[in-house]
Amino acid sequence: MQSRGLVASTSRAKKEAPSRNGAMPRTTALVVAAGTGSRAGSGLPKQYRIIAGTTVLRRTLDALLACRAPAGPIDAVRVVIRPEHHPLYVAATQGLDLPPPIHGGETRQDSVRAGLEALAADSPDRVLIHDAARPFVDPALVGRVAAALDRHEGAIAALPVVDTLRRVEDGIAAGTVPRDGLWAAQTPQGFRFAAILAAHRAAAGLALTDDAAVAERAGHRVAMVQGSPDNVKITTEEDLRRAEMLTLRQGSAPALPDLRLGNGFDVHRFASGDGGGTVILCGVPIPHPRRLDGHSDADVGLHALTDALLGAIAAGDIGQHFPPSDPQWKGADSALFLRHAATLVAARGTILNVDVTLLCEAPRIGPHRAAMIDRIASLLGIAADRVSVKATTTERLGFLGRREGIAAQATACVRIER
Ligand code: MG
């Protein structure tokens, strides 16, 4: 990728040169948090004001960090602050995995340029410039802007203007402005890095309204990407109050943990005419006159639990990961399936608790319950008090009541962190 200056506006859709290693483009989110604006009242700059217990900046950062690869297109998040806000910044970003902040300048444009210059050493392929005062940026919006950069040198979130626009002179309407083709700009504003860095260097000292204007001045085409009505900029005390309402109404504020539930169910029949000797339930071999039929070791408990974990992270089901048609799983220890699901969950977050119910007339589960709990806890790497194993009969009703097989159902709760 290279800066193309004025020539850039002549072709409609340019293919981006592949990044150095030929892999996905590397994208850095640059959060501009260097403003001193305290129009929202308290004297605190608006990015450090609090919405429902969490600072505006922290909400913005949480939202962008949730868009990091592999969940989203962002590889790194950098923040531009005012040096004298450092203590506020440290308090707002406690516990976040962020590189040191970049010191901004007098105006927003100076701060963005300082941020881009700081990124130049590690030169990402793309940068998404975002105002700290827009905490309700969502992953879909970030994804739309990033995706548009496959085809354009610049792409910004914006909404078509729907209100009628009036020109006003001395408090009196002095004509209607046609709103056809008018869009209201938001952030993130995304650009190919080298192009926007060069454009900002060339615009130093000028007063342009946003980064899209800087890019346009350098001759780059900037695509409009559908913004979000919730992606408001917090400016006034009223904005803060409305933002608090929105946060509480959504109940999905980044400050609340992202909890996911999954459930699983499995049945295996007893093998016919077999003396058996053992069934394996929740990883524990139990003496029984009959054995369970199945391609693997037929551990219904671990199968249901594996499906519950996969369900919690929307990662398909056990049959997709371990097809019964594949001979390598013949007679397999189902601990392998559960560990695989646990590894997938670990890449996204933490298992909070699991709950398994075994449904059968026999064998009796009670004497083996503690061993089952210990086995599951050790396979999942979680404390035994986060594992529940229960059992019930079906009152001799149905196929379970006729002792034709054993069923299990399971629930898993996962907190997504990445
Ligand atoms: Mg099964």
Side-chain angles (χ1 to χ4, degrees), residues 132-223:
R134 291 186 191 269
F136 299 115
V137 60
D138 63 85
L141 176 54
V142 169
R144 287 197 293 276
V145 173
L149 292 177
D150 290 344
R151 287 165 286 114
H152 303 277
E153 280 163 315
I156 72 167
L159 284 177
V161 172
V162 291
D163 295 325
T164 296
L165 296 177
R166 288 261 148 71
R167 189 180 356 267
V168 176
E169 288 165 15
D170 297 329
I172 304 297
T176 299
V177 180
R179 66 175 178 227
D180 303 339
L182 291 185
W183 289 56
Q186 302 184 333
T187 66
Q189 301 198 346
F191 305 93
R192 298 185 190 171
F193 179 73
I196 193 65
L197 175 61
H200 259 283
R201 282 175 176 165
L206 304 174
L208 301 174
T209 59
D210 63 0
D211 306 296
V214 171
E216 284 160 27
R217 181 179 171 276
H220 299 303
R221 295 177 71 96
V222 177

Side-chain angles (χ1 to χ4, degrees), residues 304-316:
L305 184 51
T306 299
D307 260 353
L309 286 170
L310 293 174
I313 55 169

